[in-house]
């Protein structure tokens, strides 16, 4: 079931269809970002973040996929997991990264970790995402003081 969820997730991202992501996440999904220490928590916030990410990434494409089990950050239990490797760019900076999807018993995504490199791309991504989240009203606008 988790492999099916991963395929549906990949298709939704590649089609830039954030609405198709909603049913793939648990209500209490947690997303660990490379630009923020604490996770984004809950389906509404994670879906809002994906809306921003889908607008922010340029030339986004998945380039590989691995399946297995891994410990989660939240419960430290080993859960079915998939890693999706990707390449993209943000504001002209090339990004190489992975999406680690970890699944609940019902097959939906309960924990999501994004890791990207190099540091210059992480900085460009962080700035672009913060600007997008503020524009969508999901976080306070840092320019507003």
């Amino acid at each position: 079931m988790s492999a099916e969820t991963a395929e549906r997730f990949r298709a939704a991202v590649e089609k830039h269809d954030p609405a198709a992501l909603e049913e793939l996440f648990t209500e209490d999904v947690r997303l660990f970002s490379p630009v923020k220490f604490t996770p984004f928590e809950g389906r509404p916030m994670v879906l809002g973040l994906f809306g921003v990410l889908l607008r922010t990434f340029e030339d986004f494409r998945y380039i590989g996929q691995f399946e297995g089990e891994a410990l989660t950050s939240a419960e430290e239990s080993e859960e079915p997991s998939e890693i999706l490797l990707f390449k993209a760019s943000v504001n002209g900076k090339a990004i190489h990264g992975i999406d680690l999807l970890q699944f609940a018993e019902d097959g939906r995504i309960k924990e999501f970790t994004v890791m990207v490199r190099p540091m210059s791309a992480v900085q460009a991504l962080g700035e672009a995402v913060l600007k997008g989240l503020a524009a969508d009203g999901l976080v306070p606008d840092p320019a507003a003081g």
Side-chain angles (χ1 to χ4, degrees):
M1 183 150 216
S2 55
E4 177 188 326
T5 301
E7 286 303 318
R8 290 173 58 205
F9 172 82
R10 183 175 179 161
V13 170
E14 289 174 340
K15 292 176 186 171
H16 291 276
D17 184 3
L21 296 172
E22 185 168 355
E23 66 186 35
L24 302 180
F25 294 123
T26 61
E27 283 292 327
D28 60 349
V29 64
R30 295 165 49 118
L31 187 144
F32 292 87
S33 160
V35 298
K36 185 175 178 270
F37 180 75
T38 58
F40 292 91
E41 296 191 69
R43 187 187 295 159
M45 179 55 96
V46 170
L47 288 172
L49 176 61
F50 268 97
V52 172
L53 289 171
L54 293 176
R55 293 192 315 262
T56 301
F57 281 124
E58 303 154 11
D59 305 319
F60 186 95
R61 64 201 178 284
Y62 283 113
I63 59 170
Q65 187 167 339
F66 297 92
E67 185 178 338
E69 290 190 354
L71 291 176
T72 64
S73 296
E75 294 123 24
E76 296 191 13
S77 59
E78 201 165 275
E79 300 294 340
S81 305
E82 296 228 8
I83 295 173
L84 303 175
L85 289 80
F86 66 86
K87 287 190 175 183
S89 61
V90 173
N91 296 330
K93 300 274 186 195
I95 293 178
H96 187 218
I98 66 166
D99 290 336
L100 170 60
L101 288 67
Q102 296 185 281
F103 303 96
E105 287 183 15
D106 65 4
R108 293 183 299 159
I109 300 165
K110 72 175 188 175
E111 193 168 292
F112 193 104
T113 303
V114 181
M115 297 181 206
V116 297
R117 62 162 302 278
M119 181 60 82
S120 60
V122 173
Q123 292 168 333
L125 178 62
E127 291 168 9
V129 168
L130 182 58
K131 186 183 237 181
L133 289 170
D136 289 359
L138 295 168
V139 299
D141 187 347

